[in-house]
Amino acid sequence: MPAKPSLHRAAPRATILRGVRPLALCALALARALPAGAQEHRHGEPAAAAVRWSLGAQAIPLVTRADPALDGQARTETYLTQPGVMGHLSLWGGRAEATATLSLEGATLRRGELNAGIWGEGYVDRRHPHTYLHEAMAVVRPLGAGRALDVSLAAGKGFAPFGTDDPMSRPFVKFPANHHLSQVLERAVAVAAVRGGPLLLEGALFNGDEPQGPGDLPEWDRFGDSWSVRGTVFPAAGVEASASHARLESPEHPRGGVLDQRKWSAALRWERGGGTGARDYALVEWARTDEYDGRRRVFRFPTLLAEGAARRRGVEVAARLERTDRPEGERLLDPFRAPVPHHDLAILGITRWTTLTLGASVGASPLAGVRLRPFAEAQMLHATEKESTSLFQPRAFYGSERMWSLSAGVRVEAGSLHARMGRYGAALAETHRH
Amino acid sequence: MSRSLLTLSASLLVALAACDGGSGGIVDPGGEDCPLNPSQVNVAGNLRAVGEGCVQDRYTSELWVRGGWAYTGTWSRRGATGLGDALKVWDVTGSAPVLRDSVIVADAGTLGDVQVSDDGRLLVVATEGGRGSIVVYDLANPRKPQEIARHSSANTQSGVHTAELARVGGAGGKLYAFLSITSRGSVVTVDLSDPRNPREVWTQQTGSPFTHDVFVRDGILFTAGWNAGTTVWDIGGGGRGGTPASPVRLAEIRTANGKVHNLWWYHDPSGARRYLFVGEEGPQQTGVVSSGDIHVVDVGSANWAGAREVAFYTVPNAGTHNFWVDEPSGILYAAYYTGGVRALDVRGDLGACTEAQKTDLRDDVYGGTVRLCDLGKMGREAGRALAGGGAVSVWGVQMVGSTLYASDMLNGLWKIDVSPLKR
């Protein structure tokens, strides 16, 4: 009888060393080379110069311990997470803009980052690496920036106007489980936005298929098979209330023909202060994804999340409470991976994840142009099956329904980064970088 | 925090990030604790389970029975460690199957299909979840299958979902394995005339987006192409010059709601070859609820171009999976996941029914509504087993003699007495 293979197949150590070290060094070198906060400006201000640009870089060395991660056993792993370069270019006084984010997670995060409860793009309980070309959008504002009526047209690869900001631009390093319920990203997208007074309306066409790997590009011939709309009200300074709806065709198969999604989201966001000074932030969001076989609804996945952060004298504390229903799919030899694309329309159950996350970070004065922000995050997670006869039983898989995750690391940043991710042109409220 | 301390912290963390901190080591679970027994599953249905071979450490997939031995595959992952890499070997000569061996297949996460060749010499197992392949075993000793070859290629790498063995060219013809590659929506044909040296002779994308199964009979290849429907190919029996290495497409047949998963071209005792049974695999939460109907296509006498759907069979909150047809008796047995096993009387004219026996079937894939004979309303349901007496999820069925064998993802292998339906 052949020997049973190990279920855990860690990447060879030498490969990790070869792949991560140069990238880590490059990210730091880039960060050091760029002046912090250079080219900062506020949207809505009259453009003082015909050409403005900004460039920034970030990387987060991170250690995470998940207990249990699988079968009652804890795992401790280290990563270089969210390494990336962000750029912004504004021409003709803001009439034309370009925004781009390059992600290097495809090189540093191939095995995924331990993040219990999250799923998507072939990863389960590990956050998947984003695509190298995370975002590249061109924006035109025919009426110019800073007008009472602000109109923009944006196109490229990026976020569809749905749900809330990308977790990368929010207080926690660990993503919420609801990433694939609350954001639609890395699509070939065309977005129209109109903002007048306290009202903002966005609409977009894009391709429904989600990426299948870091090097994947959208299926261009599927552009326009999916759409979304988002309305936002700004009733007071720093406050925004939004509601959005999206219809996605077969997001989980590039050739189409699988389940479609109808997504809803409502969110209330408040922010005061910013930059490196005092800052208060709060977000409450509800979202729901319904999956349809033709006109018949077959699955429903709701999520509810509340998070907040406060920063004083460089010290930030944050908390997040989330409850998300997750589909459970077939897994591969690697228990943290799932087949991409799926083989059929079956799920093995729905798991309800309830997660409390607490975090703290401390800022420091820039070091040779590099901003360092050490942080620690703790998560208390509870997972339970919604149906007792589901094939996927969290207790049997993880060894317990209750789990802990502890993470510590340093946000390493230089230059000017996107403060909000997921909005373009007229839809960008207030500041867009810090 | 001082600048130097921050610099040191950052350096340490960057250095940590350059190291692989993974840990592992998983113990194989054991224990065979049967939660169900025949008396519990016999509370509903007229077909009685007489014995059970229990599998609780893994999910059971497809089965094949021959000469007092049964082979079952395993699927995906049960709990943290119950990997679908075990081929179970059963002695089925008694009233209850007795497990005799578990053969572990390396670099596989699912063994979704198993079949013994018509001469009983070979066992072929399809692998997914790791290296997509077929593994060929010699059955000189049917209790101890011996691996003699493993075939994989770029065309099979993403996973072989099913492998159908069929001889083309009559009793003395060549043995082929027809592989469905679900994620690619393709079929791969492998020449097994030299089983130690399998040779790939054809591949073609046939499904949209999936190809889940094939059926081969009389030199005709049927491919189950999900929303592309059923495609009919001449591979030697269609009179169009097709061969297994160069099939000729004869027709495409659509059935309501697409999602064509599995097929059976029925030859009745009179020699008529009028009906093609099509299994639709709809969305499901496995173990909780499933969906998908059986569709009946009238193909005349292999009049592929004029084929049309005439009837269907539906079970509320349950969906069909694999079939077996007792052709001499005219009984189709269908695995129905949470619905157990359903037996349908398929003799005679299935497209002849009264208006009251018809049902409007909404077609969510191709649009519109079709009005078809409803086999349930026609009283064609002849029997049920494993239905309503406990949690089951039946994957496949096969009849040998007066016994129907049913593989149950949750519980293992059942023996069901179907002698009341023998004719």
Side-chain angles (χ1 to χ4, degrees):
Chain A
M1 186 182 299
K4 184 176 179 181
S6 167
L7 299 185
H8 170 65
R9 296 185 303 167
R13 185 183 181 86
T15 305
I16 295 284
L17 292 174
R18 278 198 302 273
V20 173
R21 267 190 188 145
L23 284 162
L25 294 174
C26 284
L28 282 177
L30 180 59
R32 289 171 66 93
L34 293 170
Q39 305 300 326
E40 180 176 326
H41 74 101
R42 287 177 180 274
H43 269 243
E45 290 178 349
V51 178
R52 285 179 172 273
W53 62 273
S54 68
L55 197 61
Q58 71 165 33
I60 305 175
L62 174 72
V63 57
T64 292
R65 178 172 178 81
D67 186 12
L70 176 72
D71 196 27
Q73 299 179 35
R75 287 179 184 232
T76 303
E77 297 182 354
T78 54
Y79 319 94
L80 186 66
T81 191
Q82 300 179 29
V85 179
M86 300 176 183
H88 185 84
L89 175 65
S90 174
L91 301 173
W92 299 297
R95 287 179 182 272
E97 294 179 328
T99 294
T101 302
L102 303 179
S103 169
L104 299 175
E105 287 184 336
T108 68
L109 217 58
R110 275 281 182 182
R111 65 175 165 170
E113 176 187 330
L114 282 175
N115 198 328
I118 205 165
W119 81 100
E121 301 180 23
Y123 291 75
V124 192
D125 297 319
R126 287 183 184 275
R127 186 174 67 76
H128 60 79
H130 286 105
T131 57
Y132 294 110
L133 187 60
H134 189 50
E135 181 180 41
M137 295 289 289
V139 184
V140 294
R141 298 168 100 161
L143 305 181
R147 302 296 183 100
L149 182 65
D150 195 352
V151 177
S152 66
L153 298 169
K157 184 186 176 193
F159 290 79
F162 175 81
T164 50
D165 286 1
D166 188 84
M168 257 180 79
S169 61
R170 286 156 50 185
F172 294 95
V173 171
K174 286 295 173 190
F175 274 40
N178 70 10
H179 184 35
H180 279 249
L181 302 182
S182 298
Q183 287 88 35
V184 177
L185 63 157
E186 298 186 322
R187 303 303 210 276
V189 62
V191 189
V194 180
R195 182 171 180 172
L199 301 175
L200 166 67
L201 186 63
E202 301 162 90
L205 294 173
F206 54 93
N207 60 301
D209 56 292
E210 62 184 26
Q212 301 202 332
D216 203 14
L217 291 172
E219 298 290 321
W220 301 107
D221 60 348
R222 287 189 56 185
F223 173 77
D225 69 6
S226 301
W227 57 267
S228 67
V229 292
R230 177 166 59 192
T232 306
V233 180
F234 304 90
V239 179
E240 59 186 57
S242 66
S244 49
H245 177 59
R247 293 215 177 181
L248 276 66
E249 187 169 307
S250 297
E252 296 190 333
H253 202 296
R255 294 200 300 272
V258 298
L259 299 180
D260 301 327
Q261 292 184 348
R262 298 181 189 179
K263 301 167 85 78
W264 294 90
S265 169
L268 184 62
R269 184 182 187 277
W270 171 66
E271 185 174 19
R272 182 173 64 187
T276 55
R279 175 182 182 247
D280 296 303
Y281 159 86
L283 171 73
V284 178
E285 74 169 337
W286 165 88
R288 191 177 76 198
T289 294
D290 291 337
E291 294 197 327
Y292 278 76
D293 176 28
R295 288 173 291 174
R296 183 168 64 102
R297 178 168 66 81
V298 290
F299 302 125
R300 168 165 284 180
F301 307 109
T303 179
L304 190 60
L305 178 149
E307 67 184 20
R311 183 188 298 173
R312 297 288 184 277
R313 296 177 182 174
V315 177
E316 182 172 289
V317 294
R320 180 173 70 205
L321 182 61
E322 178 191 9
R323 191 183 74 187
T324 293
D325 287 0
R326 174 179 92 173
E328 300 293 346
E330 202 177 336
R331 303 201 188 201
L332 298 177
L333 268 178
D334 179 340
F336 296 100
R337 299 297 294 273
V340 174
H342 292 181
H343 295 163
D344 51 33
L345 308 182
I347 62 172
L348 311 189
I350 298 174
T351 302
R352 172 160 290 177
W353 288 84
T354 305
T355 305
L356 173 65
T357 307
L358 301 173
S361 64
V362 57
S365 55
L367 177 68
V370 177
R371 299 188 299 277
L372 301 175
R373 191 166 190 86
F375 67 90
E377 293 180 7
Q379 290 186 300
M380 184 173 69
L381 306 105
H382 181 258
T384 184
E385 66 278 6
K386 287 195 74 177
E387 303 280 353
S388 61
T389 56
S390 293
L391 292 200
F392 187 84
Q393 300 284 323
R395 179 184 292 277
F397 189 79
Y398 300 106
S400 171
E401 291 183 344
R402 295 191 182 280
M403 288 155 263
W404 287 90
S405 171
L406 300 172
S407 298
V410 179
R411 287 183 185 269
V412 183
E413 301 175 348
S416 184
L417 304 175
H418 303 329
R420 305 284 303 267
M421 291 186 77
R423 291 167 180 256
Y424 305 105
L428 264 178
E430 305 298 326
T431 59
H432 80 298
R433 276 158 287 181
H434 62 78
Chain B
M1 191 176 289
S2 72
R3 180 173 292 189
S4 58
L5 184 58
L6 280 173
T7 306
L8 178 63
S9 302
S11 303
L12 283 172
L13 282 161
V14 170
L16 278 171
C19 304
D20 177 23
S23 60
I26 290 163
V27 179
D28 191 36
E32 298 292 307
D33 181 21
C34 294
L36 287 181
N37 58 52
S39 65
Q40 289 171 290
V41 296
N42 285 337
V43 296
N46 57 333
L47 301 175
R48 318 295 289 176
V50 295
E52 178 195 13
C54 189
V55 178
Q56 286 291 292
D57 63 336
R58 301 166 201 260
Y59 293 123
T60 297
S61 62
E62 186 59 297
L63 78 164
W64 196 268
V65 184
R66 183 183 170 93
W69 294 93
Y71 307 91
T72 56
T74 49
W75 179 83
S76 191
R77 185 182 293 271
R78 190 168 193 164
T81 56
L83 197 59
D85 62 353
L87 171 71
K88 304 279 187 179
V89 181
W90 305 87
D91 176 347
V92 292
T93 52
S95 60
V98 178
L99 184 66
R100 295 299 189 194
D101 203 356
S102 287
V103 179
I104 301 298
V105 178
D107 197 13
T110 281
L111 312 181
D113 198 12
V114 295
Q115 188 178 342
V116 177
S117 60
D118 56 355
D119 58 8
R121 295 171 56 190
L122 301 175
L123 168 69
V124 172
V125 176
T127 74
E128 288 180 291
R131 177 157 56 116
S133 70
I134 53 170
V135 187
V136 183
Y137 294 91
D138 185 307
L139 285 183
N141 179 355
R143 178 178 170 159
K144 292 283 182 187
Q146 296 297 311
E147 181 179 331
I148 58 172
R150 185 166 186 172
H151 173 77
S152 63
S153 70
N155 295 322
T156 67
Q157 187 62 36
S158 60
V160 179
H161 195 62
T162 60
E164 166 122 356
L165 299 181
R167 209 169 286 281
V168 180
K174 269 189 181 180
L175 184 68
Y176 291 90
F178 296 87
L179 318 183
S180 60
I181 314 299
T182 300
S183 61
R184 295 165 68 105
S186 62
V187 171
V188 172
T189 303
V190 177
D191 181 344
L192 286 179
S193 52
D194 177 1
R196 293 180 184 276
N197 296 289
R199 190 169 59 88
E200 213 167 284
V201 296
W202 182 69
T203 186
Q204 173 75 43
Q205 176 141 1
T206 57
S208 175
F210 310 126
T211 297
H212 259 261
D213 205 354
V214 303
F215 188 83
V216 180
R217 192 166 202 175
D218 299 345
I220 303 294
L221 166 68
F222 302 84
T223 56
W226 211 254
N227 291 342
T230 302
T231 305
V232 187
W233 308 80
D234 172 19
I235 57 170
R240 298 279 298 276
T243 67
S246 181
V248 175
R249 189 188 306 253
L250 299 176
E252 290 175 355
I253 302 168
R254 284 186 172 181
T255 42
N257 287 308
K259 298 183 278 292
V260 176
H261 170 270
N262 61 299
L263 304 152
W264 189 291
W265 185 22
Y266 171 46
H267 293 11
D268 78 11
S270 72
R273 303 180 297 171
R274 185 174 175 185
Y275 293 115
L276 176 70
F277 300 114
V278 178
E280 170 200 351
E281 186 174 52
Q284 64 171 300
Q285 191 180 158
T286 312
V288 179
V289 64
S290 52
S291 66
D293 297 335
I294 296 173
H295 301 266
V296 182
V297 177
D298 186 343
V299 298
S301 289
N303 172 25
W304 310 114
R308 65 188 179 88
E309 184 175 0
V310 294
F312 78 107
Y313 173 74
T314 189
V315 175
N317 299 316
T320 190
H321 201 226
N322 294 338
F323 305 153
W324 189 272
V325 182
D326 173 7
E327 295 193 332
S329 300
I331 299 291
L332 180 151
Y333 295 96
Y336 250 91
Y337 283 122
T338 48
V341 176
R342 303 298 166 110
L344 300 178
D345 180 348
V346 292
R347 294 172 303 174
D349 190 344
L350 301 178
C353 63
T354 66
E355 196 57 30
Q357 291 172 329
K358 290 185 175 179
T359 295
D360 288 330
L361 185 59
R362 195 176 78 179
D363 188 335
D364 284 330
V365 171
Y366 309 115
T369 298
V370 288
R371 188 162 177 78
L372 299 170
C373 291
D374 183 331
L375 298 185
K377 289 182 178 176
M378 293 164 70
R380 290 283 185 165
E381 185 180 300
R384 296 184 185 185
L386 307 177
V392 300
S393 187
V394 182
W395 177 293
V397 287
Q398 184 185 350
M399 204 192 75
V400 177
S402 294
T403 301
L404 185 76
Y405 295 84
S407 60
D408 175 354
M409 297 176 74
L410 306 180
N411 300 293
L413 180 63
W414 297 93
K415 288 183 77 167
I416 298 163
D417 177 16
V418 292
S419 55
L421 300 183
K422 290 291 285 184
R423 290 186 281 228

